[in-house]
Structure formats: C-alpha cells, structure tokens
Amino acid sequence: MNEQRKQAILKLLGTNGLMSVTDLSDQLKVSIVTIRRDLSEMEQLELIHRINGGAMLPIRQTPSAFPDLSKDKYGQQKRAIAEAAVALIRPGDTIFIDSGTTNNHIAQLMATLSNITVITNSLEIAYHLYRYPKNITIFVCGGTVGLMHSEAGIVGPLAEKLISQFRANIAFIGTSGVDMKHGITVPYLLAANIKTMMLENASQAVLVTDHSKFGKVHSAFVSPLSNIHHLITDQLTPADDIAYLRDIGMKVTVV
C-alpha cells in the first residue's frame, strides 16, 4: 500500500469522522478497488474500522462528530418527536432514515435498540449509531457530500441506487417545508430525490417535523401529502393543518 495514500486516508478520516469508499476514491483520485484494498490492509493493522460502504478511525481516535443537539432552537420539540418515532420500531425492522436535525435526535435514541438494520445517507447518524456496541447493522449510502448544506447528507445517483436495493419497514423523513397544497418540499433537488426514493421503498412513510416547517414551500418537490402514512409533529403545529391531514386519512401524532 502506498504510504502517502495511507496517511492521506487517515487525515481525511480524522477530519470527517466517517467517509464512504466513493468519497475517499474521489478525494484521492484512485479507483474504488484500490481504496477497498487499502482499507482492508489498514483494518488488519487496526488503523481504521470498516463499516458497510465506508470507514472511520477507531473510536478511541475519533473526535465526536455528532452535532450538539442541545443548541437546537426547537430541540425540545424534536426530542419529543424522536421519542414517538422510535416507539414505532420493532426488532427485526429495516429503517430508512435521512439526514436532518430531527433525525439526529432519532438516531440518538435508536442507538439503545438492537436487532435492526439502518440505511442512511447521513454520516453523522451512521457514526453515532456505530459508537454503540449494539446489534445494529448500518448501511451508508455512497455518493456526493459537501456540495450543499451539510443537512442534505450524501446525495446523487450512487446513493439513490443503494436505497433502491432495499425495502424498509419504516422510512423516517424530515423536511424543510410542509404545505397543504404543495406537499413536502426542500431547498435541494438531489436531497429531495433521496427522500422520495426512501418513501417509495418503505412500507410505512413517517414524516417527522416540527411546527416551524408548516406553511413553507421550497423549490424541490419531495412528495404529495397523500404518500405519507404517519406524521409526528408538536403541539404548536397549526390545528387547521392537523385537521386537514387527518381528514385525508393520515395518522397524526402530536407530542
């Protein structure tokens, strides 16, 4: 293995906490096959730890990359939403969970579970779940990261392809905008595509979002409201919107 490339991999993992094979390949301008071979050799030397689709430094060497959720403006509401969401999970479930602050809260609580499979496009969520020695299988999407706001997570055709190969019991989806006429929208088209694909490949589509997202419309369309089975939101969400969603057959949990 090239020593210079090994040091470059260690530096990238030290900076980012966790990276996909695809991202390492793009950053270092070498083939995915080469990166996988390098990672296998580095794992044998106990320099890194491999996960499905990527790698990270051993826990003892890795600074906490998970955001400080206590500084979240709507953290109390999001934590309550997350508690209601995690209560839906059963042993053996396969879960889609996309990138976003509410889903970060879900991941913190999900880390106490076992015997579940998680497919995520969020490096933060994958890193957090890995830190706990529970029986959780984690798949991290390959793709592009860093071209937009970090909350968008990993996006692009490679990420979409991985999601298309799974069928989940539940998809936990966050959003930037919920409107009774225009449906679910976000600012970024590539992020919208990830959310849409997760919804399409899950038996139960669960929208997790606080009151601040209601009445907002962004440029990238995710889904009509009719595709959502269950909304979990907080008590400050407009009562008229909650009534409308229940009238169209959506289950609504208010925390």
Side-chain angles (χ1 to χ4, degrees), residues 6 37 143 153 157 208 228 243:
K6 180 183 76 174
R37 183 174 61 247
V208 288
I228 302 299

Side-chain angles (χ1 to χ4, degrees), residues 149-163:
H149 195 285
S150 61
E151 279 191 23
I154 302 173
V155 296
L158 289 175
E160 294 169 21
K161 182 177 181 181
L162 177 68
I163 293 167

Side-chain angles (χ1 to χ4, degrees), residues 98-119:
D98 75 320
S99 183
T101 54
T102 300
N103 282 348
N104 286 344
H105 283 274
I106 293 175
Q108 284 196 338
L109 297 172
M110 195 186 296
T112 64
L113 305 179
S114 62
N115 191 28
I116 60 172
T117 298
V118 176
I119 302 99

Side-chain angles (χ1 to χ4, degrees), residues 35-183:
I35 290 295
R36 285 176 175 158
R37 183 174 61 247
D38 288 350
L39 294 179
S40 294
E41 294 179 13
M42 292 173 72
E43 185 175 43
Q44 291 177 3
L45 296 172
E46 298 184 348
L47 296 174
I48 58 100
H49 181 83
R50 297 195 68 180
I51 63 169
N52 291 309
M56 62 185 295
L57 294 180
I59 294 299
R60 64 183 183 274
Q61 299 179 24
T62 309
S64 178
F66 210 68
D68 184 357
L69 298 180
S70 66
K71 298 180 180 179
D72 192 333
K73 182 178 180 181
Y74 301 112
Q76 183 176 354
Q77 290 94 336
K78 292 177 181 181
R79 179 75 176 186
I81 290 169
E83 290 174 355
V86 171
L88 300 175
I89 301 173
R90 297 292 179 265
D93 277 352
T94 296
I95 308 297
F96 286 135
I97 180 167
D98 75 320
S99 183
T101 54
T102 300
N103 282 348
N104 286 344
H105 283 274
I106 293 175
Q108 284 196 338
L109 297 172
M110 195 186 296
T112 64
L113 305 179
S114 62
N115 191 28
I116 60 172
T117 298
V118 176
I119 302 99
T120 184
N121 71 321
S122 168
L123 293 176
E124 292 173 342
I125 288 174
Y127 168 71
H128 186 74
L129 292 175
Y130 166 73
R131 292 175 64 202
Y132 292 84
K134 299 288 185 178
N135 184 25
I136 300 178
T137 302
I138 307 164
F139 290 88
V140 186
C141 296
T144 302
V145 66
L147 297 182
M148 55 183 71
H149 195 285
S150 61
E151 279 191 23
I154 302 173
V155 296
L158 289 175
E160 294 169 21
K161 182 177 181 181
L162 177 68
I163 293 167
S164 72
Q165 294 175 342
F166 285 91
R167 297 296 180 268
N169 301 92
I170 304 174
F172 291 121
I173 301 296
T175 188
S176 304
V178 183
D179 182 80
M180 299 307 103
K181 178 180 179 182
H182 297 286

